[in-house]
Amino acid sequence: LMRTIFVLFDSLVRNALECYGGSAVATPQFKRFAQRAVTFDNHYVGSLPCMPARRDLHTGRLNFLHRSWGALEPFDQSFSELLRAQGTYTHLISDHYHYWEDGGSTYHNRYSSWEFIRGQEWDKWKAMVQPPLERFKQMYHPLQQPEGRNDGRLQTMVNREYMKNEADYCCPRTFKAGFDFLDANRDADNWLLHLECFDPHEPFAAPARFRERYPTGYTGPILDWPRYKRHEETSLEVQELRANYAALLSMCDEYFGRLLDYMDCHGMWKDTTVILSTDHGFLLAEHDWWGKNRMPFFNEIAHIPLVISHPAFAAQAGQRRQALTQTTDLMPTLLDLHGVKPPVTVEGHSLMPLLAQDMSLRVAAIYGMFGAATNITDGRYTYFRYPHDMTRQDLYEYTLMPMHLKSMFAVDDLAQAELARGFNFTQGVPLLKVPARRNAKGQPVGHTGQGSGYEDTTTVLFDLASDPAQLRPIRDVAVEERLLSQIGNLMKKNDAPPEAFLRLDLTVPAKSLRV
């Protein structure tokens, strides 16, 4: 029997989970799952943030060196489409509304069927032509007030007007849809349920019964949505924001536990694989930053949870693995679970052999975001490699789907496009080569989220053995040279464009290596 439940949360912070040593938030259900599964201790992101991570997940290869936030491309080979072609039924249930914006619009259609749970963050869900702006101003902290009518925070405030009871919240509704799918289909064979919850992504809004577990003494207006910026808040405001994250994480934990209960009740552990992971973490004022995208990708963002339970490896329950893994490995793993061979373009590795025993899959992993640093870890060190001058680098988007997060590419940008030869993963298809958008500082940007661009753009090396919190950069020329050489090798394997090497002062591989 081949049945898979792939549970993906967004912004699930690894070190907040008890199964990864967290103690500030009670997460007994995640811990309970880890006790019957294999937990991966060195799992990292690939491309960031949301949709680039999901493109890695669908294709088994990195995309941040070629493209910013964007849709699946015509030449991309999605795990879901490959499974469907071999007779596996795939179903997506998600409240992750980015799938239904321009920059995510080709993902959900790869599944046999899908269900969209409405209302998260600035999902354009409920219509309010004249919202009560004065009331909203009193209700919410100045930090989360919209800046103009087109700021998505206003839509969020409108959406939240329709979430009065716990059952109205998106996480409970998403899991309910999951149980509806299982009620109808759990006895069928050969299916994959991709159950994806936008929580605990901000805003950190949770029902009162979860929030009451984390008292802070804060008495001001609602403060549950940090902006992606440097930390300037009072200690009480920091406590309040962290407490709201904790409350939301507690809700995720409880509803995930209901899935475990369902598995127990229906005896599903004997024939169903369950995979739990996330797209990236989040900074809650660590390193004096809030959020993600704009600052270096410290491990609070880049080092993420992965826990897998497989019926054939029940004897390995509770074990941990030290192998260095990353998001690109999930795609070939999902194929492997259903007996499908990955395409030659896949860079990731199936994790099935690791469920039996620990072994090394890779020497190092690179990760990052379009236009920012190219980062690498070998498990011992992390190295953030930035261009010397972020304003003077050439950078291009390679795409046949010219869409940003919430918009199509501007006509002015497309007017500068050239038709470029394809890469080793584009199946012989040429691509539009479009100069990257630049911010007011002249930095190329694809999607930096909230804010004007990347900051703290200094190349740094951290030794995780002596400094796991990445607070004290070190200088070690030999280590830097070794990691830089590995960056070059992995970029070459990824068939990165010439400018990706040049911006890091690396030698461009010979043209003959390109297809």
Side-chain angles (χ1 to χ4, degrees), residues 42 44-45 287 296-300 302-303 324 364-367 374-385 458-476 479-480 482-484 486-487:
N42 281 301
Y44 275 78
V45 297
H287 305 281
F297 289 138
F298 296 107
N299 272 357
E300 287 87 352
H303 192 189
L324 185 58
I366 57 171
Y367 53 97
T374 301
N375 311 284
I376 188 167
T377 185
D378 60 2
R380 165 73 188 270
Y381 298 95
T382 53
Y383 182 50
F384 306 154
R385 177 78 173 193
T458 306
T459 294
V460 285
L461 175 69
F462 294 101
D463 182 350
L464 300 178
S466 60
D467 179 27
Q470 297 170 301
L471 299 175
R472 301 183 301 276
I474 62 166
R475 287 306 309 273
D476 186 322
V479 171
E480 286 194 40
R482 174 170 59 78
L483 292 174
L484 200 52
Q486 289 171 343
I487 286 175

Side-chain angles (χ1 to χ4, degrees), residues 46 181 287 323 342 395 402 466 490:
F181 172 86
H287 305 281
L395 207 60
S466 60
L490 290 166

Side-chain angles (χ1 to χ4, degrees), residues 413-433:
D413 293 337
L414 285 172
Q416 303 174 63
E418 303 168 28
L419 200 60
R421 188 166 47 150
F423 296 90
N424 62 12
F425 55 90
T426 63
Q427 303 191 58
V429 175
L431 302 173
L432 291 175
K433 178 184 177 183

